Amino acid sequence: MSKLGKKPINIPKETKVKIESGKLILTGPKGSSELTVNDKIFSTSISQDNNLILKLVKKNDSSSALWGTTRSVINSAIIGVTTGHEKTLELNGVGFRASLKENLLNLQLGFSHDTSYKIPEGIKLSVEKSTIIKISGIDKGLVGKVASEIKQLKPVEPYKAKGIIEKGQYILRKEGKKK
């Protein structure tokens, strides 16, 4: 049995959830999203106190394992539609800068050339102080993927901690050479 799967999902006042055969259509102030739920495994219903309840049709080990995961995916989609998901990246290094040109993020990362990153549809990027990049969007997975791809353009090196890091990320530092 999944402890997380049993919990009802609270639906905020400004969000509307529509249940159609195997589909959840979520609309809120940030936008709309559509999720597919397997009808053979789960049944969804909305209770009187505006909670979404996800129940198992047949209880077995494989469906029980999917229960908590499916509930978390639906919950993060509801949060994305109401408040949105956001990640903040910081550029650490001398001369490291970021600038935004339409749907391209231009990065100067200490290479002999500038690095460009094409912003996917559904993601909003903003650059503050030319060293802080804020990534926001409705889809939690897409926001995380974009943050990961930008971080991979210049991974953090352990000696001087130069590179692109996520805000609050701990960097394991190494001691340099001793004389």
Side-chain angles (χ1 to χ4, degrees):
M1 288 298 285
S2 173
K3 291 181 182 179
L4 188 63
K6 291 180 193 176
K7 288 184 180 178
I9 303 167
N10 186 24
I11 302 170
K13 292 176 185 174
E14 60 268 7
T15 306
K16 292 178 183 154
V17 178
K18 189 188 247 184
I19 301 171
E20 293 179 359
S21 60
K23 288 186 181 180
L24 284 174
I25 300 168
L26 312 166
T27 54
K30 294 280 183 177
S32 63
S33 177
E34 189 174 299
L35 293 170
T36 56
V37 179
N38 193 344
D39 281 349
K40 296 175 185 172
I41 302 173
F42 304 109
S43 66
T44 53
S45 61
I46 298 174
S47 66
Q48 297 292 335
D49 51 341
N50 211 22
N51 287 332
L52 183 75
I53 299 167
L54 191 69
K55 290 183 181 176
L56 283 173
V57 174
K58 293 180 184 175
K59 292 183 182 178
N60 58 19
D61 290 339
S62 62
S63 63
S64 183
L66 289 172
W67 196 11
T69 306
T70 306
R71 186 222 177 259
S72 293
V73 168
I74 293 169
N75 189 37
S76 69
I78 289 174
I79 292 170
V81 164
T82 54
T83 59
H85 297 284
E86 187 176 277
K87 288 204 177 225
T88 305
L89 301 178
E90 298 172 350
L91 299 172
N92 292 333
V94 178
F96 285 20
R97 280 186 228 103
S99 61
L100 209 54
K101 294 176 184 169
E102 294 174 22
N103 67 340
L104 278 177
L105 177 67
N106 190 19
L107 299 162
Q108 295 174 347
L109 301 171
F111 301 123
S112 61
H113 58 280
D114 291 358
T115 308
S116 294
Y117 179 79
K118 189 175 183 287
I119 303 165
E121 200 172 304
I123 293 292
K124 293 181 184 117
L125 254 108
S126 63
V127 178
E128 299 173 0
K129 294 195 252 177
S130 75
T131 58
I132 296 172
I133 304 167
K134 288 200 176 183
I135 306 164
S136 60
I138 294 173
D139 188 9
K140 185 177 186 178
L142 187 60
V143 170
K145 181 183 173 209
V146 168
S148 174
E149 287 174 352
I150 292 173
K151 280 170 47 177
Q152 295 230 330
L153 295 174
K154 184 70 175 182
V156 180
E157 55 94 15
Y159 297 102
K160 292 187 177 179
K162 287 183 180 179
I164 304 172
I165 63 165
E166 214 168 301
K167 189 175 182 183
Q169 177 183 344
Y170 179 75
I171 301 161
L172 187 65
R173 299 284 303 266
K174 288 184 178 178
E175 191 174 347
K177 285 187 193 175
K178 292 184 181 178
K179 290 185 179 182

